[in-house]
Amino acid sequence: MKIICVGRNYAAHAAELNNPVPQTPLLFLKPDTAQLLDGYPLFYPAFTKDLHYEVEVLLKICKNGKHITPEFASDYYNQVSVGIDFTARDVQRECKEKGHPWEIAKAWNHSAAIGRFVPIEDVKNDTGAIDFSLTKNGETVQQGITSDMITSFDDLIVYISKYFMLLRGDVIFTGTPKGVGPVQIGDRLEGFIGKQSLLNCSIK
Ligand code: MG
């Protein structure tokens, strides 16, 4: 499986890091070795002093496809979860300054925490959107709603599949809302869709 991530898909988050909102979706990939499954701890990597959480809604691809058209896009996913796009913010800053790719800041071992998947139809709110949040040591640190996304789930499927063939089991990280911040050893992170806890991760 591969992990495809979308950067700057919420305007308020782009603004908090002084980034412009992109004209087209900003994509990067994480290898399958980046997976960290629900309940497993993350060991604080030695190469960073500024490890950040970014909570995101995840889509799981349920059907193989490329060059997917808008009218069929929603057939390619039926389960969602929450995940954390762990980011070595200091390393990312350096990469950006040098104009280098982001992988060493974002795609390292276990940098993609992936929650338990649930059927998308079970977790939409009354307006058809998904509310999601992250707590750190029991306090809410990030809260988002998918209706604030710049590029919708379906439009992401269309755009991504122009470049990368989607395969069953692939996971898409759909972008983080505002409120990203640092973690320390000993912190406990918990990700939610609505009130449902789908991801637990402690920092060791
Ligand atoms: Mg992210």
Side-chain angles (χ1 to χ4, degrees), residues 36-37 39-46 48-54 84-87 108-113 134-137 141 181-190 199-204:
L36 178 72
L37 295 180
Y40 283 83
L42 178 72
F43 291 90
Y44 200 111
T48 178
K49 291 189 166 52
D50 196 17
L51 178 63
H52 274 206
Y53 53 77
E54 296 187 356
I84 302 171
D85 168 19
F86 280 110
T87 303
W108 35 274
N109 300 334
H110 309 310
S111 60
L134 182 75
T135 63
K136 183 170 93 170
N137 305 323
V141 286
V183 290
Q184 310 296 338
I185 290 172
D187 284 345
R188 224 167 13 81
L189 300 170
E190 190 169 6
L199 175 67
N200 272 278
C201 174
S202 54
I203 312 296
K204 299 220 162 164

Side-chain angles (χ1 to χ4, degrees), residues 5-8 13 28 54-56 85 87 106 173 175-176:
C5 304
V6 184
R8 302 178 198 164
H13 166 64
F28 58 96
E54 296 187 356
V55 73
E56 313 203 359
D85 168 19
T87 303
K106 277 188 170 282
F173 276 64
T176 195

